[in-house]
Amino acid sequence: AHSYLAKGDFENAEKYAEKASRNSPSNLSAMINLAITQKKNGKMQKAFQTLNEAKGLADGDELANIELIIAGYTILNGNREGGMEIFNRIKSLVEKRHNVILAINHAWFRSIAGPSKVFYSELERALSLDKDGWVVRWLRYEQDMDKYREEPEFKRLMEIYGK
């Protein structure tokens, strides 16, 4: 599914993510990936449904990560106040964690919700926590980052960590 996402082929990405989720219904990562592909494929309500199902399998950092994604999707779906309300409930769980997935999703959330100063701070934290380069690979194709690609700070971080 990831290679299709990178190519912008959301239909096939969703098809393979759905298959992975069906083959392993207790696999939290597969469910989250399915929700992401559903969102990218314009099926926001299905993404919310999948994320809410995934919450039943999650706890701790995993649950905070799902809530963070739901908060961002809520804002993208036109309900900024609701998204910020969700985020404020989990803010203390998300900030200060040394979990690369929470850090990159917090940066992603801030790319949507602002302020950009916090986005760049969280992005740098995620990049510094990443030991195998997947954050840089993700940044190269994640469409929600498109609006930042030409900004000097984004370019600076990609130069430092993108090697």
Side-chain angles (χ1 to χ4, degrees), residues 44 67-77 83 108-109 112:
M44 190 66 89
E67 290 285 0
L68 187 56
I69 297 168
I70 290 171
Y73 285 8
T74 300
I75 291 172
L76 289 172
N77 207 36
W108 166 81
F109 174 81
I112 295 163

Side-chain angles (χ1 to χ4, degrees), residues 78-90:
N79 184 356
R80 180 174 179 75
E81 187 176 312
M84 292 307 295
E85 186 178 304
I86 294 166
F87 175 74
N88 287 329
R89 284 197 311 259
I90 61 165

Side-chain angles (χ1 to χ4, degrees), residues 52-70:
N52 282 314
E53 288 174 23
K55 283 171 47 175
L57 301 173
D59 60 11
D61 284 356
E62 292 171 334
L63 183 57
N65 186 51
I66 293 168
E67 290 285 0
L68 187 56
I69 297 168
I70 290 171

Side-chain angles (χ1 to χ4, degrees), residues 89-122:
R89 284 197 311 259
I90 61 165
K91 185 177 181 178
S92 65
L93 297 173
V94 172
E95 295 175 339
K96 314 258 189 280
R97 286 282 205 271
H98 297 291
N99 175 323
V100 68
I101 292 173
L102 272 176
I104 193 56
N105 280 332
H106 187 204
W108 166 81
F109 174 81
R110 288 302 185 173
S111 78
I112 295 163
S116 61
K117 179 181 174 185
V118 177
F119 160 66
Y120 281 118
S121 171
E122 286 302 308

